[in-house]
Amino acid sequence: MARVKRGVTTHARHKKVIDQAAGFRGRRKNTFRTATQAVEKSLQYAYRDRRTKKRNFRALWIQRINAGVRLYGLTYGRFMHGLKLAGIELDRKVLSDLAVREEAAFKALVDQAEAALKKAA
């Protein structure tokens, strides 16, 4: 039976890992054993942080809405409750964008929310 030489396969597998480690510092970028560990850890961080990013953006949107609403003497919680009572279903991403870029439109939403809160009380 003929001998199987695996140099090409091994080299390709190593090259794939080394290419993924491009941009790392020190031995982590060019030594296969340490590069493998570094790449595996970086993929774990990437997986975890794709979920964390969603949390961070939601928190940012809430902070922007809260800052925009407090200019008109309302809190974030009261504003969101007022929007729900008024039947306005805009997500936090859109609301924060309005608070930052379209002050007049956001003011109209705040007025509607306040009116709904007064009506409910």
Side-chain angles (χ1 to χ4, degrees), residues 18 23 30 39 41 62 64 71 82 96-97 100 107 112:
I18 297 294
N30 53 19
V39 166
K41 192 66 169 179
I62 289 172
R64 286 178 175 176
L71 294 174
S96 74
D97 197 50
V100 172
K107 172 73 169 120
Q112 285 181 314

Side-chain angles (χ1 to χ4, degrees), residues 42-113:
S42 70
L43 292 173
Q44 288 173 354
Y45 285 141
Y47 179 84
R48 179 195 70 190
D49 291 340
R50 279 195 295 274
R51 278 124 196 95
T52 308
K53 183 168 69 169
K54 294 166 182 58
R55 277 180 245 152
N56 290 340
F57 268 104
R58 183 182 170 95
L60 174 68
W61 298 331
I62 289 172
Q63 289 166 12
R64 286 178 175 176
I65 294 167
N66 194 17
V69 163
R70 284 182 184 268
L71 294 174
Y72 304 111
L74 219 58
T75 63
Y76 168 79
R78 298 277 297 154
F79 173 66
M80 294 306 282
H81 182 59
L83 286 181
K84 192 165 196 163
L85 292 174
I88 299 169
E89 294 182 7
L90 290 175
D91 62 1
R92 287 160 183 81
K93 182 178 181 180
V94 173
L95 287 171
S96 74
D97 197 50
L98 288 173
V100 172
R101 291 188 171 84
E102 303 288 333
E103 221 170 297
F106 191 71
K107 172 73 169 120
L109 287 173
V110 171
D111 293 340
Q112 285 181 314

